[in-house]
């Protein structure tokens, strides 16, 4: 992000002071703690972790407090901190089939092996303001009205496995000698980007931008007809293989949201008609982000599947170059910095053009004319 590099030192220090006062708000009210933000603003914390590329709820909550609730600024703070961290190792790929499920739904099959698990969701709320939340004091959580669910099995079959049984959905086995994916945090984005690179970019991308791109695909701008094959929320083990041990060990659990979108595919010269997939994964409870990511991922596979590339959501350069909230915000906000010289030159140009037009009223003068 662009930041100011010049300015009166006293004015800048005063700006810091005013910012701190604004962030604190009315001192007659109790100060909002990082622990409260972490516990009670979970969805905001999860978004900051995802787009900040750091799985640490406490640091994400701290960034939200420091940014006074501006999530894009909080993401910037977390990414800046991430850049200072050493890299100690690389984890194994997450085995999401072994996810301890909190929520699991499918829009394609009613009866699933393992069942549908609604879990915590706003999907069935009435979207009416709850004025009881205005009451001061701690509101007690209502006791559950149903018996607790039985423990989920250690491994829950995927919905796409049901389609695999008939050979109706694409399979993507890991090829021999599959290279390690590029690391976008250390290497610049280059085009054409492979799918692993695109997924990294989308995972860090701004949720609002991806949502708009995903919406465009649903309105006919990507020739796709998507279904939510499966949406999962739960915790999964993070594992590494230390060199001195030679086998995998778990270093902790991480909450993630995973979405697999199923799309119809008419087939090509190389492939029969079948269903194809779009994939999305995000830290924490981030369903909208994971769903939007999976829709855009599928749209960006147009070249690979031999589909015409006609819409913005199908264009790698457009989507990947404009999805990052930090770059977008920085480039827009840098317009607040001094542009005195540039503007004076354009002001002088417009004055000359007006003078020319006044002295030659019968001639049209446009910017770029050689006359």
């Amino acid at each position: 992000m662009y930041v100011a590099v010049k300015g009166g030192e006293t004015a800048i220090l005063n700006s810091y002071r005013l910012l701190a006062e604004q962030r604190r708000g009315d001192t007659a009210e109790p100060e909002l703690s990082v622990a409260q933000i972490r516990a009670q603003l979970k969805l905001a914390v999860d978004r900051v972790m995802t787009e900040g590329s750091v799985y640490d709820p406490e640091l994400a909550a701290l960034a939200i407090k420091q940014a006074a609730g501006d999530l894009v600024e909080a993401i910037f703070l977390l990414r800046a901190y991430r850049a200072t961290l050493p890299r100690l190792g690389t984890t194994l790929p997450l085995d999401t089939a072994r996810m301890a499920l909190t929520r699991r739904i499918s829009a394609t099959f009613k009866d699933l092996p393992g069942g549908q698990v609604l879990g915590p969701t706003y999907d069935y709320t009435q979207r009416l303001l709850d004025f009881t939340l205005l009451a001061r004091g701690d509101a007690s959580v209502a006791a559950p009205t149903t018996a607790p669910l039985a423990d989920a099995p250690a491994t829950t079959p995927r919905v796409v496995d049901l389609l695999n049984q008939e050979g109706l959905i694409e399979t993507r086995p890991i090829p021999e000698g599959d290279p390690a994916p590029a690391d976008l945090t250390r290497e610049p984005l280059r085009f054409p980007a492979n799918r692993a690179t695109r997924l990294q970019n989308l995972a860090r991308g701004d949720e609002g931008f991806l949502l708009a791109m995903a919406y465009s695909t649903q309105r006919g701008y990507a020739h796709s007809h998507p279904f939510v094959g499966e949406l999962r929320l739960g915790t999964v083990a993070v594992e590494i293989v230390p060199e001195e041990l030679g086998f995998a060990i778990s270093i902790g659990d991480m909450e993630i949201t995973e979405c697999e979108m199923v799309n119809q595919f008419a087939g090509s010269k190389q492939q029969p008609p079948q269903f194809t997939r779009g994939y999305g994964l995000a830290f924490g409870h981030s369903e909208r982000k994971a769903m939007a990511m999976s829709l855009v991922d599928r749209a960006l596979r147009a070249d690979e599947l031999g589909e015409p590339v006609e819409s913005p959501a199908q264009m790698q350069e457009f989507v990947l170059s404009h999805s990052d909230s930090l770059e977008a915000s920085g480039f827009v906000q840098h317009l607040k910095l001094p542009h005195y010289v540039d503007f004076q030159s354009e002001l002088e140009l417009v004055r000359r053009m007006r003078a020319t037009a006044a002295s030659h009223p019968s001639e049209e003068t446009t910017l770029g004319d050689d006359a």
Side-chain angles (χ1 to χ4, degrees):
M1 182 181 284
Y2 287 84
V3 294
V5 295
K6 294 182 180 179
E9 182 178 0
T10 301
I12 291 175
L13 292 176
N14 285 335
S15 176
Y16 289 166
R17 178 180 56 80
L18 292 172
L19 181 62
E21 291 177 359
Q22 176 183 273
R23 178 171 58 241
R24 177 59 181 88
D26 187 355
T27 55
E29 295 292 334
E31 183 175 2
L32 189 62
S33 70
V34 170
Q36 287 175 308
I37 295 172
R38 175 178 176 175
Q40 300 178 45
L41 298 182
K42 181 183 185 310
L43 301 184
V45 168
D46 291 346
R47 176 179 175 182
V48 171
M49 290 195 302
T50 297
E51 296 179 31
S53 302
V54 176
Y55 189 86
D56 192 316
E58 184 175 48
L59 291 181
L62 172 61
I64 292 171
K65 177 174 180 176
Q66 184 174 335
D70 183 339
L71 298 190
V72 174
E73 180 68 18
I75 292 162
F76 186 9
L77 292 170
L78 195 57
R79 280 216 208 157
Y81 176 75
R82 182 189 192 279
T84 69
L85 300 175
R87 177 160 299 184
L88 303 177
T90 303
T91 67
L92 296 176
L94 298 179
D95 185 357
T96 56
R98 294 164 48 205
M99 185 187 301
L101 295 173
T102 302
R103 173 165 159 77
R104 182 222 192 188
I105 61 168
S106 172
T108 52
F109 292 98
K110 179 181 178 181
D111 298 317
L112 296 173
Q116 305 248 16
V117 181
L118 295 187
T121 178
Y122 287 103
D123 292 349
Y124 311 105
T125 62
Q126 296 177 313
R127 266 77 180 203
L128 300 175
L129 283 175
D130 184 359
F131 289 99
T132 62
L133 298 177
L134 288 174
R136 292 184 178 272
D138 295 331
S140 60
V141 179
T145 57
T146 58
L149 297 174
D151 292 338
T155 301
T156 306
R158 298 179 181 281
V159 167
V160 294
D161 294 337
L162 302 176
L163 296 172
N164 276 338
Q165 293 174 5
E166 298 183 59
L168 296 178
I169 193 166
E170 63 174 337
T171 57
R172 299 184 61 84
I174 299 175
E176 287 279 341
D178 184 37
D183 185 349
L184 273 183
T185 66
R186 297 188 172 193
E187 302 175 24
L189 178 64
R190 293 188 176 90
F191 298 104
N194 59 29
R195 192 179 182 197
T197 302
R198 297 197 304 263
L199 288 171
Q200 283 185 68
N201 182 286
L202 297 178
R204 289 159 53 92
D206 179 70
E207 182 177 306
F209 177 84
L210 293 185
L211 186 62
M213 289 291 98
Y215 181 44
S216 74
T217 69
Q218 292 181 274
R219 299 188 66 246
Y221 288 92
H223 307 288
S224 62
H225 186 205
F227 298 89
V228 174
E230 190 168 10
L231 181 66
R232 292 179 170 217
L233 166 67
T235 57
V236 64
V238 179
E239 298 177 330
I240 63 171
V241 180
E243 292 183 4
E244 60 271 22
L245 295 181
F247 56 85
I249 62 171
S250 174
I251 59 173
D253 294 327
M254 181 168 63
E255 185 183 46
I256 60 170
T257 302
E258 180 185 46
C259 179
E260 285 199 275
M261 201 68 67
V262 176
N263 292 71
Q264 191 179 35
F265 176 55
S268 64
K269 293 181 180 179
Q270 293 78 27
Q271 297 174 303
Q274 60 185 322
F275 290 104
T276 55
R277 309 185 201 187
Y279 186 77
L281 187 142
F283 288 152
H285 193 174
S286 306
E287 293 182 24
R288 186 167 50 229
K289 172 64 178 284
M291 291 179 68
M293 179 179 170
S294 62
L295 286 167
V296 178
D297 169 52
R298 173 57 181 83
L300 290 175
R301 298 181 61 200
D303 268 337
E304 167 196 338
L305 297 171
E307 298 171 338
V309 177
E310 301 171 336
S311 304
Q314 298 172 297
M315 301 174 183
Q316 285 192 26
E317 291 86 349
F318 182 84
V319 174
L320 303 185
S321 297
H322 299 99
S323 64
D324 191 278
S325 64
L326 268 61
E327 292 185 12
S329 178
F331 206 71
V332 169
Q333 293 200 77
H334 98 283
L335 295 174
K336 295 183 289 186
L337 300 181
H339 288 75
Y340 309 134
V341 175
D342 292 341
F343 180 73
Q344 289 302 318
S345 65
E346 293 201 14
L347 183 61
E348 183 60 29
L349 175 60
V350 171
R351 285 170 175 162
R352 291 202 308 269
M353 291 169 60
R354 288 173 63 90
T356 301
S359 60
H360 302 85
S362 61
E363 298 180 8
E364 291 187 2
T365 302
T366 59
L367 188 62
D369 281 349
D370 294 330

